[in-house]
Amino acid sequence: QVQLLESGGGSVQAGESLRLSCAASGVTAASVVVGWFRQVPGKEREGVAAIYTGGRLTYYSEAVKGRFAVTQGNDKNTFYLQMNALKPEDTAMYYCALNQGAISEPPLQADEYFYWGQGTQVTVSS
């Protein structure tokens, strides 16, 4: 059973940085896709970044391109979302998600992912 555990959220000022972590366990596939999503109350879950572990391909939404970076740790089971130049509009609950196998391109649609973490809150104040 795949389990995902996010950490690293918190409260920061605009312009500062945070790094979120997603620890994955129980993964059996050689190549998976890991996505980072965020959600604010009353809105749909928004995909912001994703990485395919096989080819290390990465994807970003226009809202975060150039500011966020998704990477895979050397242990291959931890995934990171480095968030720089944070803005108040980045405030949300952030989730990591994983699918064992390819999904539709770009891999930023929430309903394509099977496994989800519990989320970590990011709050950016102006």
Side-chain angles (χ1 to χ4, degrees), residues 12-18 63 66-68 82-88 90 124:
V12 297
Q13 297 287 320
E16 294 183 343
S17 299
L18 276 175
R67 299 188 297 123
F68 290 14
Q82 178 67 41
M83 306 185 295
N84 299 325
L86 283 161
K87 305 175 181 180
D90 293 318
V124 184

Side-chain angles (χ1 to χ4, degrees), residues 3-65:
Q3 292 187 323
L4 303 175
L5 182 63
E6 302 101 332
S7 61
S11 297
V12 297
Q13 297 287 320
E16 294 183 343
S17 299
L18 276 175
R19 189 177 77 161
L20 305 183
S21 300
C22 174
S25 60
V27 176
T28 58
S31 178
V32 302
V33 56
V34 173
W36 285 95
F37 294 79
R38 64 187 183 187
Q39 190 170 26
V40 297
K43 291 192 175 182
E44 291 188 358
R45 198 162 289 190
E46 172 193 13
V48 297
I51 182 169
Y52 270 104
T53 62
R56 300 292 181 106
L57 294 174
T58 57
Y59 301 81
Y60 299 95
S61 69
E62 288 300 319
V64 307
K65 193 174 294 183

Side-chain angles (χ1 to χ4, degrees), residues 70-98:
V70 56
T71 58
Q72 181 180 17
N74 291 333
D75 66 353
K76 300 189 185 305
N77 293 320
T78 306
F79 300 87
Y80 301 99
L81 183 68
Q82 178 67 41
M83 306 185 295
N84 299 325
L86 283 161
K87 305 175 181 180
E89 51 263 44
D90 293 318
T91 296
M93 183 72 77
Y94 282 73
Y95 300 87
C96 67
L98 183 147

